[in-house]
Amino acid sequence: MLKGKEIILGVTGGIAAYKAVELLRLLTKAGANVHVIMTDSATEFVTPLTFQTLSMNPVSTSLFNLISEREIGHISLADRADLFIITPATANIVGKLAGGIADDMLTTTVMATKAPILVAPAMNVNMYQNPIYKANEEKLKSHGYLFVEPAKGMLACGWEGEGKLQEPRVIFEEALAALSPKDLTGERVLVTAGPTREELDPIRFISNYSSGKMGYAVAIAARRRGAQVTLVTGPACLDEPWGVDTVQVVSTENMREVVIKKAAESTIVIKSAAVADYRPKSRTGEKIKKNAEPLVLELVKNPDILGELGKTKGDRLLVGFAAETGDLLANAAKKLMEKNLDMVVANEIGLEGAGFNVDTNIVKLLFRDGRKEDLPLMGKIELADVILDRIVEIRKQARGARC
Ligand code: CTP
């Protein structure tokens, strides 16, 4: 998503300036071409050489430092930018921008750009709560500036409270959101992910190989595109996505309880969880001890959560997943009809690069009107965006049909 994007990273003079180095790494690793502009006081905290080495671009520190004889540095950078990030942003830079002051390379470039501007403030808690600062932030927001609100915690000045720079991975996530289309604004998207676990005793359970990566990718992509997202996830070793309301569950019955409740407030449900269809008839409170006899487990059927949602579908858009080891299209089409879905994402387990526990997938999409789409091998985040593109199309068609 950041491949070929031109990003300006403005760094101002705060102790958190070193975190801008980590953000720069994340941006360049994702393929962005980053130009760093530092204020004079920022150079007291981190040297321009650090940013220059990592960005592989000259670092601008002075208004009169022209990039070439014919180009005026700040105008040329401002024109080329797809996104402008200021991190850490001091109370001083926010005040200057709100006041329209352009007296150095950073402020003049901000004034000259038409790119979205993302500001990540960091300062002492009393400065952050100062009504003058608050008014300046509100003014910039009213002009379309985006803010990554600071975190609470121990501040460098010794105070505890709001004002700590957000983690670079959060600012990175907000940068991706700033560059995403907002075509899911107003939608409340419920996503399920991961495996479920059915416990036999306090230390053993039945589960499957699902890593949760596909569902997490869908939740992340939907939030970037403006949706309000709830993720209901079985046990997965993944970080909770920033900005997503995440509910952790364990068993299929736990998942059912949360999903049925949350689905009532959702406009779109995407069920990518690999749900256990059966659970042990009973769970023992004590560890099952071995003896000379074979152990026979009796399993009972779990509720079909998606099937249940299909029965009370209404205007809600329902998307299911079908992981199969044979007869992919026939099995997926059957699930589409039987569970009353709008779309099924079908994948054949066993294909290299597809299915559980990998970062890529190869799927076929099946739609209610009989259309099918074959997608090539792609990253799960990329696939999440294709799934959401199709959801947006289905929404548009439905609106068109009603008019
Ligand atoms: N699903 C569900 N509740 C279940 C089983 C599945 O909500 N108890 C959902 C899954 O999240 C997925 C879809 O239904 O979106 C298809 O799941 P899958 O396991 O492929 O199919 P099943 O319906 O369980 O049928 P089978 O196991 O026989 O293939």
Side-chain angles (χ1 to χ4, degrees):
M1 186 182 201
L2 288 183
K3 273 210 173 71
K5 295 283 182 209
E6 298 282 335
I7 296 180
I8 304 179
L9 181 59
V11 184
T12 70
I15 188 66
Y18 73 95
K19 287 194 181 172
V21 177
E22 206 179 320
L23 177 64
L24 169 61
R25 292 282 286 167
L26 292 172
L27 294 167
T28 51
K29 260 170 86 178
N33 188 23
V34 186
H35 305 269
V36 178
I37 305 178
M38 301 178 78
T39 58
D40 284 342
S41 47
T43 63
E44 302 284 331
F45 291 91
V46 183
T47 67
L49 187 59
T50 305
F51 287 109
Q52 185 163 310
T53 309
L54 294 173
S55 68
M56 293 193 286
N57 279 315
V59 171
S60 313
T61 50
S62 155
L63 181 58
F64 303 105
N65 174 11
L66 303 185
I67 280 176
S68 79
E69 282 172 21
R70 280 187 298 152
E71 272 186 332
I72 298 180
H74 64 284
I75 300 294
S76 126
L77 272 181
D79 285 348
R80 288 207 305 265
D82 293 297
L83 177 66
F84 207 130
I85 307 173
I86 306 174
T87 184
T90 54
N92 182 51
I93 188 80
V94 173
K96 277 166 93 172
L97 294 175
I101 295 169
D103 65 350
D104 60 9
M105 184 69 176
L106 181 57
T107 45
T108 45
T109 315
V110 175
M111 288 285 269
T113 194
K114 292 224 154 100
I117 302 163
L118 182 64
V119 183
M123 64 196 75
N124 162 272
V125 57
N126 294 333
M127 290 171 86
Y128 183 65
Q129 287 169 355
N130 187 310
I132 299 172
Y133 171 79
K134 289 285 176 205
N136 288 336
E137 181 178 316
E138 283 314 310
K139 184 172 177 189
L140 291 180
K141 280 182 177 165
S142 74
H143 288 290
Y145 283 61
L146 304 164
F147 275 76
V148 188
E149 299 306 337
K152 277 192 185 141
M154 180 60 91
L155 306 174
C157 53
W159 281 73
E160 177 115 26
E162 277 175 310
K164 199 173 146 70
L165 186 72
Q166 274 295 358
E167 286 309 311
R169 75 170 184 97
V170 170
I171 303 170
F172 177 73
E173 185 51 43
E174 291 293 4
L176 291 171
L179 288 167
S180 297
K182 290 291 169 284
D183 50 4
L184 288 173
T185 302
E187 300 282 7
R188 292 182 303 279
V189 179
L190 173 61
V191 184
T192 69
T196 56
R197 271 183 196 171
E198 304 298 341
E199 292 185 357
L200 290 161
D201 69 13
I203 55 172
R204 301 183 180 98
F205 54 83
I206 298 172
S207 191
N208 58 64
Y209 287 119
S210 170
S211 62
K213 285 180 179 172
M214 191 63 241
Y216 277 59
V218 172
I220 290 167
R223 189 201 83 93
R224 286 180 191 161
R225 293 168 72 149
Q228 195 184 313
V229 183
T230 301
L231 172 68
V232 181
T233 173
C237 294
L238 299 171
D239 288 338
E240 289 194 2
W242 170 253
V244 168
D245 172 26
T246 304
V247 186
Q248 305 277 349
V249 295
V250 178
S251 68
T252 299
E253 284 182 307
N254 295 156
M255 183 173 275
R256 181 197 164 273
E257 197 183 322
V258 179
V259 166
I260 297 295
K261 198 151 45 156
K262 299 271 179 190
E265 306 142 16
S266 306
T267 55
I268 298 171
V269 180
I270 305 170
K271 272 218 93 255
S272 83
V275 180
D277 288 326
Y278 293 91
R279 66 177 184 277
K281 189 170 180 193
S282 58
R283 174 195 185 278
T284 60
E286 301 289 322
K287 183 184 171 196
I288 301 170
K289 301 299 270 183
K290 66 174 175 294
N291 57 36
E293 299 304 312
L295 178 68
V296 177
L297 289 177
E298 191 178 349
L299 302 178
V300 294
K301 219 163 162 205
N302 266 329
D304 184 332
I305 310 169
L306 191 53
E308 198 173 329
L309 291 178
K311 291 194 179 104
T312 52
K313 184 172 178 298
D315 284 340
R316 202 173 297 127
L317 206 145
L318 285 186
V319 177
F321 277 66
E324 308 290 345
T325 50
D327 282 337
L328 181 67
L329 288 176
N331 280 324
K334 193 165 165 246
K335 283 171 193 171
L336 180 82
M337 296 321 289
E338 283 181 0
K339 300 193 189 206
N340 196 16
L341 309 178
D342 296 278
M343 179 165 97
V344 167
V345 182
N347 68 322
E348 195 150 336
I349 301 296
L351 284 186
E352 198 171 328
F356 292 164
N357 240 331
V358 285
D359 290 327
T360 53
N361 215 344
I362 308 168
V363 306
K364 296 183 197 306
L365 303 180
L366 280 73
F367 302 90
R368 219 180 159 70
D369 59 10
R371 275 181 308 121
K372 292 184 186 60
E373 186 177 353
D374 258 322
L375 295 175
L377 175 88
M378 57 175 79
K380 284 186 174 168
I381 273 278
E382 201 185 343
L383 174 59
D385 269 317
V386 175
I387 292 169
L388 295 172
D389 288 345
R390 299 299 171 268
I391 287 174
V392 169
E393 282 161 26
I394 295 172
R395 269 279 189 259
K396 275 194 195 138
Q397 279 164 11
R399 266 188 224 116
R402 273 203 294 270
C403 296

